[in-house]
Amino acid sequence: MSTPKLVGIAGSFNRPSKTYALVRTVVGLAADRYGFASSIYDLQDVGASLGAAQWRSELDDQAEAVIDEIVSADALVIGSPTFKGSYPGLFKHLIDLIDPHELRAKPIVITATGGGDRHALMVEHQLRPLFGFFMAHTLPTAVYASDRDFTDYKVSSEPLASRIHEVVGELAAFFPHPVPVLAAAE
Ligand SMILES: Cc1cc2nc3c(=O)[nH]c(=O)nc-3n(C[C@H](O)[C@H](O)[C@H](O)COP(=O)(O)O)c2cc1C
């Protein structure tokens, strides 16, 4: 059986980025626990052709390669910064270029960051319905983090770490043979 592939997408241009840090933490834990091959991309990895492309065929090879990674993944970790109470327009444009059937039944961990707590439900009110459109399996626990959950662009709060562990545990419904703890630590 081939190694399952986990792909993380951080819908931010910023480097460093809290969203990227959150996605990296979730992807890292999940890869350790389930033995995924993993990769993570942000909007800089997608590149400048995204904004000008009306159709997927107008993307350059760099952007097309990231979309190929997304649609061929066995599971996704999606992270979005919160812009005006929702996801950024360019992140949505990336998702708009994916065909409806391409994410069907894919397990997706949904995560977001924001400056404060006011828009914490954006994961439920914006991200979950977006991937509901694709008939993907968004995992029950959605993860939202605000500025105070990070120190130097690393996850530093206990409640956030605990929520991340919770959602990583939920992947077991789709990948039922976690790497034994001892083997994972070697
Ligand atoms: C244009 C813009 C709009 C924003 N709107 C919101 C918002 O509505 N609610 C919120 O909590 N944070 C908002 N923020 C703050 C960002 O969501 C927050 O700083 C985020 O963690 C940045 O992620 P990054 O470090 O991955 O780029 C906004 C930031 C920008 C630049």
Side-chain angles (χ1 to χ4, degrees):
M1 207 176 77
S2 65
T3 306
K5 183 165 82 170
L6 178 64
V7 171
I9 298 293
S12 174
F13 274 107
N14 287 331
R15 292 182 178 178
S17 148
K18 287 174 292 254
T19 310
Y20 192 96
L22 179 57
V23 169
R24 187 183 53 213
T25 304
V26 177
V27 167
L29 274 174
D32 285 350
R33 179 154 173 186
Y34 301 98
F36 291 116
S38 65
S39 45
I40 306 176
Y41 304 93
D42 66 8
L43 290 188
Q44 296 227 27
D45 292 317
V46 178
S49 76
L50 176 63
Q54 213 173 341
W55 306 103
R56 185 142 143 198
S57 58
E58 294 166 3
L59 293 174
D60 65 11
D61 290 350
Q62 181 184 348
E64 186 59 48
V66 175
I67 292 200
D68 283 349
E69 281 282 277
I70 294 173
V71 302
S72 66
D74 295 291
L76 293 172
V77 176
I78 296 288
S80 170
T82 305
F83 278 15
K84 306 291 189 280
S86 185
Y87 34 69
L90 212 50
F91 166 78
K92 175 63 158 52
H93 188 50
L94 175 68
I95 304 299
D96 284 346
L97 296 180
I98 296 173
D99 285 339
H101 68 275
E102 291 180 302
L103 301 183
R104 191 175 180 132
K106 213 182 277 298
I108 301 185
V109 176
I110 49 175
T111 75
T113 67
D117 293 334
R118 183 167 300 178
H119 298 120
L121 282 175
M122 101 64 146
V123 283
E124 298 296 347
H125 294 171
Q126 311 290 337
L127 286 179
R128 199 181 292 285
L130 173 60
F131 294 102
F133 164 83
F134 287 94
M135 297 191 202
H137 286 295
T138 53
L139 296 191
T141 298
V143 181
Y144 178 89
S146 68
D147 282 355
R148 67 166 178 274
D149 291 309
F150 299 89
T151 306
D152 296 333
Y153 293 91
K154 290 198 173 77
V155 170
S156 59
S157 88
E158 194 42 51
L160 176 58
S162 143
R163 207 156 167 82
I164 291 170
H165 274 95
E166 195 176 312
V167 72
V168 167
E170 289 168 1
L171 281 166
F174 298 90
F175 305 96
H177 302 295
V179 176
V181 173
L182 280 177
E186 282 167 5

